[in-house]
């Protein structure tokens, strides 16, 4: 993607303006807001001439005055035109009822809005006058739905028999796609509202998380009838505007029919790509990078596809140079867009560059202090960095703007968690879920708090709800592994740790957890492989190439060199596992590597000489003396002692005395070594003379 020319930029501006109005007409307010922010961040290419003193508002007023004169003084309704003559005629006839229905929707009277166009007393069936019978359901419905519908737990509007769809459909007026979408979307929202009302208290005794939207079945049947009536031989719907395909995709995704949902969402996107809501739901249906690469060829060659690719890669934790480059190109077109800046911050967050991510979020907060979106991610970063004063400021700011937003509740919950007030933190996370039961961050963070409170049952349930909402949330999978490990159910813990590692293959923490689980299950060989993978993952974000490191971890060659700083704890654990396998030479090699991290990690792993500690490569910024490196030094001292290399053992023991860790044991070893050396010296001389 390259920069846009002047005419292309103006065309994009006009299209985005049209998208804002079209999304608003259909009450898709989040998509309208997203498009409006994209529009506002598009730089202006027009320059005022000296004679053009009129403002944009003056120009609009003049056009309005002219239109008033042409229409006999009647102010036209500000709605987007339709290029389809039949649709334009229907929209013109329905304009009064449409405005009435939209006003009901804006007042959250969803059933009343739907009843303006599709009254509840109309039997449920396909909206069609030509279809003889309803088509086969694509939705995954129970097999008992065709018989005994009175027993099915569905709403009244969804439980009417489909015995005579022709007679029922004949009572329906012919509707424009805009009005039909608004009516069916209002019905969907009414079902979502009732689902929330019927849900029990968060993690209460009766909260099984199984409450469903009872309108989905009926809505899917209506849409299938509409599509089947207008579908051609190629399967495409003639004259469709893409909005009903989007609604059908939403319904299919709610019923966990991911494959068909992806198909219909892609259809909607190909017809009308500026509905950001369709792209968001499609992102949620992508589980891996392979899934993303599979669907990319079927998407249109469009700037929205470019934005989607960056967003999807960010959701898949793909913080690569290529993704950053694509994001940079987008920022050249939309230089001040907050959504793109947020994507950049989250990419830095995934790569553990917390300082850069915090800097971007701080700049966004300064530019727009009333923006609540993604503040929960910002609070996570501040929590990890332990910036308690700044987190307190963000919590106070968000509360002053809107205390009843899920993001605000998560920010406040993180603040109390950082203060170790876990009960208060749980209270705010529960409040966030009361406002939005599908708010992923709240479920995951509440699981963390329950782990801190040693409430393993509630923690497991919280994490399970999180992965039900988003199976890409590695934090929830990792949390499940931690919780089952606390319960000493290592087989379960291993399964969840492996899921987390598959989502974050370059996070050493995930592979360390897998290795520790294998170790507790007495599978030392697999544990060593996992911990070596952790070492490789640890170098992913630190250095551009890891070929020399990977060579040393992939084989048992002790002569390889390591030129990157590694985690001494992981190296020490690998050494202990080799000791468990009775491979003492390899164990000693990794103990030497552990010691090398004190000075920067640049040391040969060979243990052939007593002067290995004086290797000229042992220089640079290392971790210094730690308890782990002291344990490795003690192990090596005893190892050299057992091999009869008392000089090297004495050198290591003297270093231990200076480390300040296990000093008493080190002094005892020094005394023992001195005694052995005193005994060996005269004996060795006499023996040598006798042999000579």
């Amino acid at each position: 993607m390259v920069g846009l020319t002047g005419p292309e930029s103006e065309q994009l501006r006009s299209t985005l303006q049209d998208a804002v109005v079209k999304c608003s007409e259909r009450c898709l307010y989040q998509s309208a807001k997203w498009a409006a922010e994209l529009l506002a961040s598009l730089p202006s290419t027009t320059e005022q001439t000296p004679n053009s003193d009129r403002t944009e508002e003056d120009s609009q007023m003049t056009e309005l005055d002219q239109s008033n004169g042409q229409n006999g003084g009647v102010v036209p309704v500000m709605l987007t035109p339709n290029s389809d003559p039949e649709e334009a005629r229907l929209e013109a006839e329905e304009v009064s009822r449409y405005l009435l229905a939209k006003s009901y929707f804006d007042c959250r009277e969803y059933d009343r809005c739907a009843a303006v166009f599709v009254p509840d007393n109309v039997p449920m069936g396909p909206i069609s006058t030509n279809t003889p019978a309803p088509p086969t359901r694509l939705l995954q419905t129970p097999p008992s739905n065709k018989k005994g519908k009175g027993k099915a737990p569905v709403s009244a509007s969804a439980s009417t028999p489909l015995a005579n769809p022709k007679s029922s459909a004949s009572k329906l007026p012919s509707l424009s796609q805009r009005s039909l979408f608004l009516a069916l979307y209002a019905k969907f929202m009414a079902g979502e509202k009732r689902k929330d009302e019927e849900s029990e208290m968060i993690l209460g005794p009766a909260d099984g998380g199984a409450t469903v939207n009872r309108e989905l079945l009926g809505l899917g049947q209506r849409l299938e009838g509409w599509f089947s009536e207008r579908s051609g031989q190629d399967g495409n719907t003639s004259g469709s505007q893409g909005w009903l395909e989007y609604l059908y995709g939403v319904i299919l995704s709610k019923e966990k029919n991911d494959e068909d949902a992806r198909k219909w969402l892609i259809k909607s996107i190909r017809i009308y790509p500026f509905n950001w809501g369709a792209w968001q739901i499609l992102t949620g249906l992508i589980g891996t990078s392979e899934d993303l690469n599979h669907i990319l060829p079927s998407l249109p060659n469009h700037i929205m596809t470019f934005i989607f690719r960056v967003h999807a890669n960010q959701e898949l934790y793909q913080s690569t140079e290529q993704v950053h480059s694509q994001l940079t190109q987008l920022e050249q077109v939309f230089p001040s867009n907050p959504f793109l800046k947020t994507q950049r911050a989250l990419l830095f967050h995934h790569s553990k560059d917390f300082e850069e991510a915090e800097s971007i979020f701080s700049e966004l907060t300064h530019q727009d202090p009333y923006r609540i979106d993604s503040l929960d991610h910002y609070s996570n970063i501040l929590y990890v960095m332990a910036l308690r004063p700044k987190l307190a400021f963000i919590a106070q700011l968000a509360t002053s703007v809107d205390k009843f937003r899920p993001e605000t509740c998560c920010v406040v919950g993180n603040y109390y968690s950082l203060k170790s007030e876990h009960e208060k933190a749980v209270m705010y996370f529960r409040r966030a879920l009361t406002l939005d039961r599908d708010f992923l961050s709240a479920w995951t963070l509440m699981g963390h708090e329950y782990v801190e409170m040693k409430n393993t049952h509630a923690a497991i349930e919280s994490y399970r709800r999180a992965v039900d909402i988003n199976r890409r949330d590695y934090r929830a999978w990792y949390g499940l592994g931690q919780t089952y490990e606390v319960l000493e159910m290592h087989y379960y813990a291993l399964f969840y740790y492996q899921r987390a590692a598959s989502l974050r293959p370059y996070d050493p923490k995930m592979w360390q957890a897998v290795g520790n689980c294998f170790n507790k299950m007495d599978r030392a060989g697999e544990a060593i492989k996992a911990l070596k993978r952790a070492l490789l993952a640890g170098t992913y974000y630190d250095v551009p190439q890891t070929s020399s490191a990977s060579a040393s971890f992939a084989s048992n060659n002790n002569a390889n060199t390591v030129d990157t700083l590694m985690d001494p704890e992981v190296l020490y654990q690998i050494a202990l596992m080799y000791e468990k396998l009775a491979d003492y030479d390899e164990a000693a090699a990794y103990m030497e590597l552990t010691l090398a991290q004190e000075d920067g990690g640049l040391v040969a792993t060979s243990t052939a000489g007593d002067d290995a500690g004086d290797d000229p490569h042992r220089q640079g910024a290392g971790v210094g003396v730690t308890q782990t490196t002291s344990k490795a030094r003690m192990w090596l001292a005893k190892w050299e002692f057992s091999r009869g290399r008392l000089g090297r053992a004495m050198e290591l023991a003297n270093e231990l005395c200076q480390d300040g860790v296990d000093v008493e044991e080190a002094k005892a070893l020094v005394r023992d070594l001195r005694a052995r050396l005193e005994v060996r010296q005269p004996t060795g001389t006499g023996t040598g003379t006798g042999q000579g």
Side-chain angles (χ1 to χ4, degrees):
M1 177 182 172
V2 295
L4 301 179
T5 62
E8 290 173 339
S9 180
E10 288 305 313
Q11 182 181 2
L12 179 59
R13 186 189 309 279
S14 175
T15 308
L16 285 171
Q17 290 173 346
D18 180 73
V20 174
V21 177
K22 283 185 175 179
C23 291
S24 298
E25 286 176 0
R26 290 157 180 82
C27 300
L28 300 174
Y29 295 122
Q30 291 298 324
S31 296
K33 182 183 77 170
W34 186 89
E37 287 183 342
L38 207 64
L39 173 63
S41 63
L42 192 63
S44 176
T45 58
T46 59
E47 296 182 1
Q48 278 195 337
T49 62
N51 295 327
S52 60
D53 297 330
R54 296 188 307 165
T55 63
E56 187 178 354
E57 290 78 5
D58 294 335
S59 176
Q60 292 176 351
M61 290 302 297
T62 303
E63 293 173 2
L64 184 60
D65 293 339
Q66 292 174 353
S67 63
N68 289 347
Q70 294 172 358
N71 295 297
V74 179
V75 179
V77 179
M78 298 301 294
L79 299 173
T80 54
N82 200 311
S83 57
D84 186 339
E86 180 62 20
E87 286 290 322
R89 181 186 65 80
L90 290 172
E91 289 179 3
E93 292 175 355
E94 300 162 358
V95 64
S96 298
R97 288 194 299 156
Y98 163 77
L99 292 174
L100 176 65
K102 188 175 184 303
S103 66
Y104 289 152
F105 192 103
D106 293 341
C107 294
R108 300 177 182 269
E109 300 181 37
Y110 302 122
D111 285 309
R112 198 176 182 190
C113 169
V116 172
F117 293 111
V118 186
D120 276 344
N121 58 358
V122 176
M124 180 60 64
I127 302 181
S128 169
T129 57
N130 301 322
T131 307
T136 304
R137 284 284 290 142
L138 294 176
L139 288 154
Q140 296 177 344
T141 53
S144 60
N145 280 347
K146 291 187 177 180
K147 295 181 180 180
K149 278 189 171 287
K151 298 179 182 180
V154 296
S155 63
S157 61
S159 60
T160 310
L162 297 174
N164 190 359
K166 263 194 173 184
S167 62
S168 65
S170 62
K171 299 178 183 179
L172 289 170
S174 180
L175 297 173
S176 66
Q177 293 184 45
R178 183 179 66 189
S179 299
L180 179 59
F181 175 87
L182 182 61
L184 297 184
Y185 183 55
K187 204 67 179 172
F188 170 79
M189 292 300 295
E192 290 291 297
K193 182 181 178 182
R194 277 190 285 273
K195 182 183 77 170
D196 290 340
E197 291 170 351
E198 293 169 2
S199 298
E200 298 292 335
M201 182 182 68
I202 303 295
L203 295 185
D207 181 24
T211 311
V212 297
N213 184 342
R214 299 183 182 182
E215 302 293 338
L216 296 180
L217 175 62
L219 290 172
Q221 290 176 337
R222 287 173 181 254
L223 287 168
E224 283 177 0
W226 192 90
F227 290 131
S228 64
E229 179 182 329
R230 290 161 176 79
S231 294
Q233 296 294 332
D234 56 356
N236 294 325
T237 306
S238 60
S240 178
Q241 300 171 359
W243 302 97
L244 293 172
E245 285 85 351
Y246 160 69
L247 181 57
Y248 194 35
V250 172
I251 292 170
L252 290 168
S253 68
K254 288 287 184 180
E255 294 200 345
K256 307 298 183 183
N257 191 347
D258 294 350
E259 184 177 351
D260 285 335
R262 280 194 293 265
K263 181 182 72 173
W264 284 95
L265 288 169
I266 290 173
K267 282 186 178 182
S268 172
I269 286 166
R270 292 183 67 86
I271 299 171
Y272 190 75
F274 281 96
N275 177 15
W276 180 243
W279 295 101
Q280 279 188 305
I281 297 175
L282 183 60
T283 302
L285 298 174
I286 297 173
T288 63
S289 298
E290 290 73 20
D291 293 341
L292 175 61
N293 294 329
H294 178 71
I295 69 168
L296 280 177
S298 59
L299 298 176
N301 185 15
H302 197 276
I303 191 172
M304 292 294 291
T305 303
F306 207 78
I307 297 174
F308 161 75
R309 186 188 305 174
V310 171
H311 176 61
N313 277 307
Q314 181 273 122
E315 289 290 319
L316 293 169
Y317 314 110
Q318 301 297 310
S319 182
T320 63
E321 288 297 326
Q322 182 183 5
V323 178
H324 277 283
S325 176
Q326 293 170 350
L327 187 53
T328 300
Q329 294 179 56
L330 283 171
E331 287 181 331
Q332 292 174 357
V333 181
F334 307 103
S336 60
N337 184 254
F339 171 79
L340 296 180
K341 290 181 180 293
T342 300
Q343 299 306 298
R344 176 85 71 185
L346 292 176
L347 286 173
F348 282 125
H349 181 202
H350 298 331
S351 60
K352 300 185 181 298
D353 191 349
F354 299 116
E355 290 78 9
E356 193 66 32
E358 194 278 329
S359 175
I360 295 174
F361 272 120
S362 180
E363 180 186 354
L364 282 170
T365 306
H366 178 73
Q367 291 174 353
D368 188 356
Y370 301 105
R371 184 175 185 269
I372 303 295
D373 299 341
S374 300
L375 275 190
D376 54 316
H377 297 296
Y378 186 22
S379 69
N380 291 339
I381 294 170
L382 295 175
Y383 181 93
V384 172
M385 299 176 69
L387 297 178
R388 181 170 159 184
K390 199 158 194 175
L391 182 55
F393 168 74
I394 295 299
Q396 190 175 29
L397 176 65
T399 304
S400 65
V401 174
D402 188 351
K403 66 170 63 177
F404 296 111
R405 280 277 294 271
E407 294 90 342
T408 299
C409 296
C410 282
V411 173
V412 178
N414 269 334
Y415 170 71
Y416 281 117
S417 178
L418 192 57
K419 291 179 64 181
S420 298
E421 298 183 25
H422 302 298
E423 291 80 5
K424 282 189 177 180
V426 166
M427 180 184 71
Y428 276 95
F429 293 139
R430 291 169 70 98
R431 184 177 297 178
L433 293 168
T434 302
L435 296 168
D436 183 1
R437 280 183 175 258
D438 291 335
F439 197 71
L440 176 65
S441 292
W443 283 115
T444 305
L445 294 172
M446 189 164 69
H448 295 343
E449 296 307 304
Y450 280 127
V451 169
E452 294 291 334
M453 296 164 64
K454 303 295 188 289
N455 188 343
T456 54
H457 175 75
I460 289 172
E461 185 62 25
S462 299
Y463 289 135
R464 288 194 185 280
R465 297 289 186 88
V467 297
D468 284 343
I469 296 169
N470 184 357
R471 303 192 73 79
R472 299 187 310 271
D473 185 13
Y474 74 94
R475 300 172 302 168
W477 291 112
Y478 184 81
L480 280 168
Q482 276 189 313
T483 310
Y484 278 109
E485 193 172 17
V486 169
L487 296 173
E488 297 185 356
M489 301 172 69
H490 300 301
Y491 284 95
Y492 285 94
L494 177 62
F495 171 77
Y496 293 119
Y497 281 143
Q498 287 176 327
R499 290 297 300 266
S502 68
L503 291 167
R504 291 276 288 177
Y506 297 112
D507 192 336
K509 185 179 179 183
M510 305 300 142
W511 292 107
Q512 283 180 253
V514 172
N516 290 334
C517 252
F518 275 128
N519 186 35
K520 291 176 181 177
M521 295 162 63
D522 293 325
R523 295 161 65 177
E526 291 165 293
I528 289 172
K529 292 179 182 178
L531 291 178
K532 286 183 177 180
R533 186 71 181 267
L535 292 175
L536 282 174
T539 62
Y540 179 75
Y541 296 117
D542 296 335
V543 292
Q545 68 272 1
T546 58
S547 57
S548 60
S550 61
S552 65
F553 308 147
S555 67
N556 292 338
N557 186 357
N558 291 346
N560 287 322
T561 60
V562 178
D563 57 359
T564 55
L565 187 65
M566 294 175 289
D567 188 349
E569 182 62 35
V570 178
L571 292 168
Y572 181 71
Q573 292 297 327
I574 294 175
L576 292 181
M577 291 174 195
Y578 273 120
E579 182 185 22
K580 186 182 292 187
L581 294 174
D583 190 346
Y584 298 108
D585 291 335
E586 196 68 16
Y590 275 91
M591 289 296 182
E592 289 283 359
L593 274 176
T594 306
L595 282 187
Q597 307 315 304
E598 291 183 347
D599 299 323
L602 301 179
V603 64
T605 62
S606 174
T607 59
D610 289 347
D611 57 348
D614 299 325
D615 192 292
H617 294 292
R618 288 187 63 179
Q619 51 188 325
V623 298
V625 176
T626 66
Q627 188 169 5
T628 300
T629 59
S630 294
K631 289 178 182 178
R633 185 173 279 110
M634 177 64 75
W635 190 96
L636 282 171
K638 292 179 179 179
W639 162 250
E640 298 292 1
F641 179 58
S642 67
R643 296 171 65 194
R645 300 178 60 187
L646 303 184
R648 171 68 172 154
M650 178 63 77
E651 179 186 345
L652 292 168
N654 286 328
E655 290 176 0
L656 276 170
C657 293
Q658 300 172 6
D659 288 350
V661 181
D662 294 332
V663 176
E664 294 302 322
E665 187 177 0
K667 288 180 178 179
L669 181 60
V670 169
R671 289 193 296 268
D672 193 4
L673 284 167
R674 283 177 179 169
R676 294 295 181 96
L677 286 171
E678 289 173 359
V679 172
R680 173 182 286 189
Q681 188 65 33
T683 304
T685 304
T687 304
T689 306
Q691 289 174 347

